[in-house]
Amino acid sequence: MNGQMNGQMNGQMNGHANGQANRRSVLARISRGELLSLLGVGVFGELLTVAWIAAVLGVEKGQATWAHALGLAAVDLASLVWVPVPLFAWYDRFPLAGDHRQRNLLLRAVGALALILVTSFTSAAATRWAGDALGIVPAVIQAMLPGYPEQVFWAACPVLGASLAYLVLRRLHNARDVEQRNAELQRLALEAQLSALAAELRPHFLFNALNDLAELVHHDPARAETMLLHLSSLLQATLAAGRQRTVSLAEELQHMDDYLALQQMRFDDRLQVTRAVDASVLAARVPPMLLQPLVENAVVHGIEGRVGASQLQLTVRARPGTLEVQLDDDGPGPTGSAHRGTGTGLRNVRERLAALYGEAAEAVLSERPGGGARMLLRLPLEVA
């Protein structure tokens, strides 16, 4: 069960990582080592070409020299070394991802064919020019140049080789992105775990919770036992956050309820919570400890220190391909709170959303119409 869940989570994360990577240019990301490897393959190919040119020119028979063969091969390499640049740019423009995979594959093929035709002309022209510059008899040069369609076939070889190099580089870059994203997610998950644990274990939080529990034990033992269960469940969820990339929305709502139950023990009727959750999205996958830091922000900034009842409203709904989570409070708003925090909770939520979903997710804090604060989360709707 755990293996299946982890495989699904890794697949979702890798899909997002590859989707982001496929929109990034291979040329812009090519490393020095990769560039040298490409040049090395090209030089190796030209060394084979030197042997073929030497045989055609009759170097061993004394009809030409190795300098002639090397000169022709050098010009041939110079006439082909530019091929990967427009080819890679063309392939980057039409990625094989999303809803236009077949169309983009066709456009890639058309671009590669056009480049083959151009290469066949430029290579032949460069060879003739080099032959004249080196003083080689034109008839010999003409014998080196095959007619059509053989010329197109030989011109296709470097284009096909560059296409294969593009695919290899794309795979390497995607694998590198996934590895970096995994490392970033592990770091952020650990940070979330530590931040949440620190938040829940703050002395004033434990003091208030335990003090209220001590009072409840005397006159309402059953409720005190319930509060202890909420506290235990919340701390267990906090410790488990670093070991999971996603949990179900239903689990995340339960963790939020544990936190709110402890806070309602403090505020009693002053904290009024309403919710509107679309039951069809309860199985959706979300990052662990996603809601609790946001609810804590709403309590600390919007409710603590106020006299009278305070409203906290949670709305969860599904849009086409998107999960929306909206948290409203009727406090002083994002800029009116007397409490000055560090912003760690909200920043961590945003970083984890970015690491998991890239630009497909966002966390927006704004003024609530009519007063108060509104936190709106949008992330891809994924169901295990």
Side-chain angles (χ1 to χ4, degrees), residues 22-280:
N22 283 333
R23 290 192 288 270
R24 300 171 66 183
S25 169
V26 166
L27 277 176
R29 305 177 61 206
I30 193 169
S31 67
R32 180 179 299 178
E34 292 167 347
L35 180 59
L36 291 176
S37 297
L38 288 178
L39 291 176
V41 171
V43 170
F44 176 75
E46 287 305 316
L47 290 177
L48 298 178
T49 303
V50 168
W52 176 78
I53 292 175
V56 173
L57 294 179
V59 171
E60 294 183 355
K61 298 178 181 179
Q63 298 174 354
T65 66
W66 281 104
H68 291 140
L70 289 171
L72 286 173
V75 171
D76 183 64
L77 177 61
S79 70
L80 297 175
V81 72
W82 59 273
V83 168
V85 176
L87 187 69
F88 285 13
W90 184 258
Y91 286 173
D92 283 336
R93 185 175 180 181
F94 301 103
L96 299 183
D99 299 331
H100 305 294
R101 182 185 181 90
Q102 294 182 346
R103 184 203 69 177
N104 288 356
L105 182 60
L106 178 61
L107 289 172
R108 281 189 176 190
V110 171
L113 179 59
L115 191 58
I116 289 172
L117 296 176
V118 171
T119 303
S120 67
F121 284 107
T122 58
S123 179
T127 300
R128 290 190 179 94
W129 173 85
D132 292 339
L134 294 171
I136 301 175
V137 178
V140 175
I141 295 297
Q142 190 61 39
M144 290 177 52
L145 298 174
Y148 289 94
E150 289 85 356
Q151 178 68 22
V152 175
F153 169 78
W154 289 111
C157 292
V159 175
L160 294 176
S163 299
L164 178 61
Y166 178 89
L167 294 177
V168 171
L169 289 173
R170 174 63 77 187
R171 288 294 184 91
L172 288 174
H173 293 171
N174 286 354
R176 188 188 307 159
D177 287 339
V178 170
E179 183 178 352
Q180 292 174 351
R181 196 171 291 265
N182 275 332
E184 180 68 6
L185 283 174
Q186 290 176 359
R187 182 189 69 81
L188 291 173
L190 180 59
E191 182 178 324
Q193 177 188 2
L194 295 176
S195 297
L197 184 59
E200 301 313 324
L201 292 180
R202 284 185 306 216
H204 80 270
F205 177 87
L206 279 180
F207 175 81
N208 291 332
L210 295 176
N211 188 53
D212 293 338
L213 283 169
E215 293 183 5
L216 281 176
V217 166
H218 297 292
H219 64 272
D220 196 344
R223 188 182 177 193
E225 182 179 358
T226 301
M227 292 300 102
L228 279 174
L229 292 176
H230 283 301
L231 180 59
S232 174
S233 176
L234 183 60
L235 295 179
Q236 288 177 0
T238 302
L239 291 171
R243 300 191 297 269
Q244 299 171 296
R245 286 196 177 92
T246 61
V247 297
S248 70
L249 178 63
E251 293 177 82
E252 188 63 13
L253 289 172
Q254 181 58 56
H255 302 156
M256 184 194 72
D257 287 342
D258 290 328
Y259 176 81
L260 285 173
L262 294 171
Q263 293 294 354
Q264 284 178 319
M265 183 174 60
R266 290 179 53 206
F267 295 106
D268 203 14
D269 294 336
R270 288 173 53 206
L271 176 56
Q272 300 177 4
V273 181
T274 58
R275 65 171 67 192
V277 179
D278 185 348
S280 66

Side-chain angles (χ1 to χ4, degrees), residues 258-376:
D258 290 328
Y259 176 81
L260 285 173
L262 294 171
Q263 293 294 354
Q264 284 178 319
M265 183 174 60
R266 290 179 53 206
F267 295 106
D268 203 14
D269 294 336
R270 288 173 53 206
L271 176 56
Q272 300 177 4
V273 181
T274 58
R275 65 171 67 192
V277 179
D278 185 348
S280 66
V281 299
L282 290 176
R285 308 300 298 184
V286 298
M289 303 307 292
L290 178 70
L291 298 181
Q292 186 273 333
L294 303 180
V295 172
E296 182 183 8
N297 276 350
V299 171
V300 171
H301 295 281
I303 297 174
E304 279 188 0
R306 294 186 63 195
V307 178
S310 297
Q311 294 284 340
L312 191 63
Q313 181 174 0
L314 175 70
T315 305
V316 182
R317 50 183 171 260
R319 303 293 189 191
T322 302
L323 177 67
E324 285 191 355
V325 179
Q326 180 176 306
L327 186 65
D328 292 328
D329 68 69
D330 59 354
T335 60
S337 174
H339 182 85
R340 291 292 179 263
T342 62
T344 300
L346 180 56
R347 183 177 66 252
N348 182 275
V349 167
R350 284 173 170 160
E351 288 180 351
R352 284 192 292 146
L353 289 177
L356 268 172
Y357 309 112
E359 297 177 357
E362 62 177 348
V364 180
L365 178 63
S366 62
E367 295 280 349
R368 171 178 170 267
R374 168 169 293 173
M375 171 56 65
L376 180 61

